[in-house]
Amino acid sequence: MTFSTMLLTMGEGMLLTILLFALTLIGSMPLGMVVMFMEKSRIKPIAWLTKVYIAIMRGTPLMLQLLVWRFGPYYLFGISIGSAKLPALLIGFILNYAAYFAEIYRSGMDSMPVGQYEAAGILGYTKIQTFFKIILPQVIKRVLPSVTNEVITLVKDTSLASVLAYAEVFSIAKQISASQTSFIPFVIAGVFYFVANFIVAFIMERIEKSMQYYK
C-alpha cells in the first residue's frame, strides 16, 4: 500500500470519526442540561435516580459501557441488533458525556450568587426569563473552559469506537499497521487527532474571547 493510498483510506476513517464526534456533541450537550435539572429536581426519587445514573456513567469505563450497549440486548434479552454499530456507539457516548456535562453545568449553576435571582425577581423577571436572560449567559462563560476540556477529551475518546470494530481512523490504523507491519499508520492517526484537537481548541478559544465582555 502506497503512502497516498494509506492517507486516503485513513482520511475516510477520520470522516467517520468526525461524524461520531459531532453527533455525540449534538446529543450530549443538550441532554446534559436536562440531566442537570433532573439532578437538582425537588422530586427526591428523580434527583436520586439521576445521581445514580451520573455515578454509574462516571464510575465505569466508557469502553465497558459501549460493550454493554452493543452486546447487552442480545445477552440479556436475546435481541440481536445485527451490524448496528453506530447506534450503539452513539447511545454509549451520548449517555456517558451527558453525565459529565451535567456535572459541569451544575457546578456553574451552583456558583451563581443567590442575589442575582432575587434581583431578577424584584425587577419582574419570571423564572424562565431569569434563567435564559441572566443566569445562562453567565453560566456558559464560567463553564466554557471545563466544557472545552471535555470536548477535547471526546475527540480522543472516539478511538474507543474501535472496540466495536467501527471503521474510524484508529481502527483503520490498527488494521493497516498489522497488514503492512508498519508504525506509520499510528503516526498518521496521531497527526489526525492532533489537528482535530487543535481546531477544536482554536474554536473554543475564540468563543471564550467573544464572551469576555468584562474583565
Side-chain angles (χ1 to χ4, degrees):
M1 179 181 290
T2 63
F3 180 80
S4 59
T5 303
M6 184 185 302
L7 199 61
L8 181 61
T9 303
M10 294 186 64
E12 294 174 353
M14 191 62 194
L15 292 178
L16 292 178
T17 296
I18 293 172
L19 175 65
L20 177 60
F21 165 79
L23 292 178
T24 298
L25 209 58
I26 292 171
S28 62
M29 295 189 77
L31 181 59
M33 186 67 69
V34 175
V35 173
M36 183 270 292
F37 281 120
M38 292 175 64
E39 185 183 12
K40 296 173 70 69
S41 173
R42 295 181 181 179
I43 304 175
K44 295 301 181 181
I46 293 178
W48 183 82
L49 288 174
T50 304
K51 290 180 183 296
V52 171
Y53 154 72
I54 292 175
I56 293 174
M57 292 296 105
R58 298 175 69 194
T60 57
L62 176 55
M63 182 181 294
L64 175 61
Q65 295 170 28
L66 295 176
L67 291 172
V68 167
W69 288 110
R70 177 66 178 88
F71 302 109
Y74 178 75
Y75 289 131
L76 295 175
F77 309 107
I79 301 174
S80 176
I81 58 176
S83 59
K85 299 171 185 176
L86 183 58
L89 286 169
L90 287 176
I91 292 173
F93 271 98
I94 289 174
L95 290 180
N96 180 273
Y97 270 84
Y100 283 93
F101 283 129
E103 287 299 278
I104 292 173
Y105 299 154
R106 183 188 59 79
S107 66
M109 289 287 292
D110 291 345
S111 69
M112 297 302 298
V114 178
Q116 295 210 20
Y117 294 93
E118 296 174 346
I122 293 173
L123 292 173
Y125 283 87
T126 64
K127 289 184 178 180
I128 295 178
Q129 289 175 325
T130 300
F131 176 75
F132 284 103
K133 292 185 177 182
I134 299 175
I135 302 301
L136 185 59
Q138 297 182 73
V139 169
I140 292 174
K141 186 176 186 300
R142 294 188 182 200
V143 304
L144 207 51
S146 298
V147 170
T148 299
N149 289 336
E150 283 302 311
V151 174
I152 290 175
T153 300
L154 173 58
V155 173
K156 294 179 288 186
D157 276 354
T158 55
S159 62
L160 295 176
S162 62
V163 72
L164 300 187
Y166 179 71
E168 46 76 49
V169 66
F170 185 71
S171 178
I172 293 176
K174 289 195 299 182
Q175 294 172 11
I176 297 177
S177 179
S179 63
Q180 301 291 315
T181 318
S182 171
F183 191 74
I184 293 178
F186 291 117
V187 176
I188 296 174
V191 172
F192 277 144
Y193 282 118
F194 177 81
V195 171
N197 272 324
F198 179 83
I199 294 172
V200 168
F202 176 78
I203 293 173
M204 297 302 287
E205 182 180 0
R206 300 299 298 178
I207 295 174
E208 285 188 49
K209 287 183 178 180
S210 70
M211 300 190 70
Q212 290 179 354
Y213 40 81
Y214 69 88
K215 295 185 178 180

